[in-house]
Amino acid sequence: MAARRDPLRPITEVLGAGVWTGTIAGLAAGAIDALWSWGPAAQFTPGFGGRLRFVLFGATSHALAGALAGLVVTAVVLVLSRATRLGDLARFGLADHRARRASDPGSAVAGLALVLAGLAVIALALVVAYKLAVPFLATRKEPRLVVIVAMATALGALAAAIPLAFVLGRALEAALAPLARRWPPLASPLAPAIAAAALVGLAVVAWLASSWETARALPLRAPVVGVLGAALAIAAARPALALTVLLERWPRWRRRGVYAALPVILLLLVLAAGGSAPVVKASSAYTGLGGPIARTVRRAFDWDRDGYSSVLGGGDCDDGDRTVHPGAPELPDDGIDQNCVGGDATTKRSLDDVAFVAVPPAVPKDFRILLITIDTTRADHLGMYGYARPTSPKLDALAKDGTVFEHGWAHAPSTRYSMPAILTGRLPLDVYYDTSVDGWPGLAAKATTIAEALAPLGFATGAITNYSYFDRSRHFDQGFAEYDNANAVRHTGVAGEGPAHTRGSSSEQQTDKAIAFVDKHEAAQQRWFLWVHYYDPHFEYEPHPGFPSFGTDRMAMYDGELVFTDHHIGRLLDDLKARGVYDKTVVVVTGDHGEGFGEHGVDFHGYHLYSPQTKVPLIVRVPGLPARRSTTPAGHVDILPTLVNLAGGKPTTEMMGRSLVDALAGADRDRVVFQQLSYEGNHEMRAGASRDCHVIYNVSPDTSWEAYRVDRDPLETADLADDGDGACRDTRSAVERWYDLEQVPRGAAEALLPARPAIASPLDADLGPAVRLLAAEATPTVKPGETVTLTWTFEATGTPEPGWKLFVHVDGPNRAFVNGDHAPARPFEWWRPGQFIRYQTQVTVPRTAPRGTYKVRIGLFKGTTRAPVRAPRAVIVDNSVVATSFEVVP
């Protein structure tokens, strides 16, 4: 008997059902997601009315997205089911399944068996392939090889798994047949889909249970909301179809009017609810898909197509001019505020106030210096900052002898940014980096470390570190006569977890080495500077037998690590006292960054500038000066100038902080400590902290301002940026001025030459239509590990379009390579035809570089596109000009 063929519903009816299904599911999912964040949203939308508007925005924005998704998914399904053989196959299979189920439920479980066997076998095959491929690929540096091997491995795993799945599926089908006869739902057409969802769900639950500490730090809210929306769509499908059938009875003009009005009404509701900046901020911060949906809507209203909009908090202050938006390069002194922040910028820089003062005579002339940095240490978890748990008795005793800075701030929320700032006295994004190092960059030779500043002043310098980040390849040993990172082996990474997750302990061994250093130099009667880094408070938090335990939750375990570290720091301080040199030792203690425990929905650190991540302890004990609590805001970049000031050194233009000697002596003043954060995915943040306020400028991907009165709201629970009373206006103005100044590169004004320079043999190499390279010069000879200075001279034959940069590839013997890619000191956007530009860049030759001739190639690129090159007097290689060369010698 031929299988019954169901009549197909009209296309308009099916599409209408898809739209209503998506709308209903999106409305419900958005409302649930917003209600889920009802409490945290109070940070931006205090009061019942504000949060109700937040829920309305979440519901309507998700409904709009759901309607579009429903239309697209339904259209795709229609095409596949009615215009391809796939639909015929599905209908035939469904009809055959119905026939089998009607005659014998046990014969209708093939699909269920195949799903159960297939998912298990394929998952196992992919896991095995992963285990086999990772050891081979982990050390490979050729991206194409990695991709090819990964694809081949995955295809091989699937090729082996699929036939095996059919074999096991047939055996499983025989086992399931008797069960289906006793329990017919096993033969339901939905059984394979339900089984697949259940297996995937179990796998996710198992992964969450085994890797919860990692999972909780991942941005899983968006996929959870997506799954919720899909589940609600299944539930909404039947009522949506019923509603569509009802509408099909209406006259065509009325039905079309409903479908035309639906997106317009939803869009108007979205724009009305999202017209409040706090609502958009709350949605972006605390919902899974609120931010992406808002960004999508903003793109639709980006009239000048510059990537920014004036709606839904897009921040575009002139949506009719594509050169004006929050991400635009600021052209100084032209009367236009291109980046919508702080008015027009200027190249006229005032000299930074490094604030060196005379050292009080009570300070001993021959003092030693001990700098202690503690990883992942937030100020409000230590006793001297009012913490209730006794986490820091030894440091509390030190604090009673010195100056406690009540407003100590890191400039960034991670070690990779904070430690270079501490060591060089420069803001994290302004440090001179060596990008030739694999992974995180190291310090360039041009950078001046604390050790390099103090050694000429009579200090024997030493550093004792304990993490792979401080490996000598990153040049943190620069200026240190003695450098010991051997205890890095005591902190091992957790497979697959990344650098944020390590295990092990080294505080005891760090102190032992520090005591040995002091013993050696005191025996030699040498004045010394010692930097010791303590790493144990960094996640993963581990118990330490014999030390106080505050419990087993994350925060309690973290506090236990602080107690353990404090004890061993105390051993070092006690040793100084026992030797009689404590009263001749300047001691500085700070944390490199803080740690989140759920504040603002954030755990751990690295991606936010809120106070839990960036407010750190800063204790400075100077012999001869009275103990006090200073209200002067202070940052990491202030440590270097303070120590140089105390040691009798001179200020330099490279110092981006200020000496705190006046504050140590009792003279406090308010100021703004600036912060920077930049990480993958176009995430840019800037901030400034004064005595009373912490103002955060979210540059991208969602442009917004946040302002917190930290004097009365230390955990920053209430954003005041949009409350209308001008809260923190002065601090925000300072951040705006600084941000604008930050956008003007140092040397940009000086790079513009008054006339064409004299060049004996100009290269006249055209890099694209607007950039002509006239000359390039390099340091003639260098040794491995040294820096090469490259001097570039250009003629502007036009103004390059936004986004172009210069790639500089240095090729040496045995395929040696150094990357010198950069944007010019004078940004391309400032170039005008007929101008001449000259500036210098530096590249560091790796310490392992082979000897020989190195050729410097230069070209123009944007993303993966290279501009065409024409050079009558130079060699062209791969759309780049061989511009100059230098020798690496022994």
Side-chain angles (χ1 to χ4, degrees), residues 73-88 90-91:
V73 170
T74 307
V76 170
V77 171
L78 274 173
V79 170
L80 292 177
S81 64
R82 300 192 181 187
T84 69
R85 290 299 181 186
L86 186 62
D88 294 336
R91 284 187 289 274

Side-chain angles (χ1 to χ4, degrees), residues 190-243:
L190 296 177
I194 295 172
L199 285 176
V200 172
L202 286 173
V204 170
V205 169
W207 176 74
L208 290 174
S210 63
S211 306
W212 176 241
E213 292 297 343
T214 298
R216 67 186 297 170
L218 297 176
L220 299 177
R221 185 72 170 262
V224 168
V225 174
V227 171
L228 174 64
L232 290 171
I234 296 173
R238 190 175 294 277
L241 180 60
L243 177 59

Side-chain angles (χ1 to χ4, degrees), residues 324-350:
V324 176
H325 55 79
E330 182 68 25
L331 275 63
D333 305 316
D334 66 349
I336 302 173
D337 181 13
Q338 278 88 3
N339 63 10
C340 301
V341 174
D344 185 28
T346 178
T347 56
K348 300 177 180 66
R349 292 177 178 268
S350 59

